[in-house]
Amino acid sequence: MEEPWDFEFLSRVADSCLSFLHEFVNDWLANDMRVAIFKILLSWLIFSLVAIHFAWKVYGNTVNDMYYRQGSGQNGGTPDAAPHLSGWENKSGDTLKSHRE
């Protein structure tokens, strides 16, 4: 019976990963326009994520408090039913509207 993770399979995976990394490093060190664009976009992404992280640390509680509803009820402070609107059924239990073709 053959092992599911034999040495040949792992060796192929390791070789493909190493060749990809070698090619990536060679492209990274080259003075190519697509590498420059990739570096700019990668640095912009990292800068944006760091800025979002720090902004959330500073203003996260304020934003959360603005949108968090305090109190009891269906969704925090909202009442279960609005007093000036009728529900789906009237007081006698009959439906207000029915679909007719």
Side-chain angles (χ1 to χ4, degrees):
M1 190 165 153
E2 191 174 330
E3 294 181 20
W5 295 99
D6 58 345
F7 182 72
E8 184 178 342
F9 174 73
L10 292 176
S11 139
R12 285 184 189 170
V13 169
D15 286 342
S16 63
C17 288
L18 286 176
S19 66
F20 173 76
L21 286 175
H22 179 68
E23 189 174 330
F24 183 79
V25 167
N26 286 341
D27 283 344
W28 186 267
L29 296 176
N31 289 328
D32 193 9
M33 181 58 78
R34 64 189 173 110
V35 175
I37 292 172
F38 177 76
K39 287 179 182 179
I40 290 169
L41 292 176
L42 182 65
S43 61
W44 179 257
L45 176 68
I46 291 171
F47 173 75
S48 297
L49 291 175
V50 169
I52 289 169
H53 174 73
F54 283 124
W56 187 255
K57 280 188 140 214
V58 173
Y59 298 109
N61 290 332
T62 305
V63 172
N64 191 30
D65 290 341
M66 282 174 33
Y67 292 103
Y68 180 73
R69 296 183 179 178
Q70 304 280 335
S72 62
Q74 179 182 354
N75 291 323
T78 57
D80 290 334
H84 63 281
L85 297 175
S86 61
W88 285 101
E89 295 182 358
N90 60 11
K91 293 180 182 176
S92 64
D94 299 329
T95 58
L96 293 174
K97 294 184 179 180
S98 62
H99 178 72
R100 295 182 186 160
E101 293 183 5

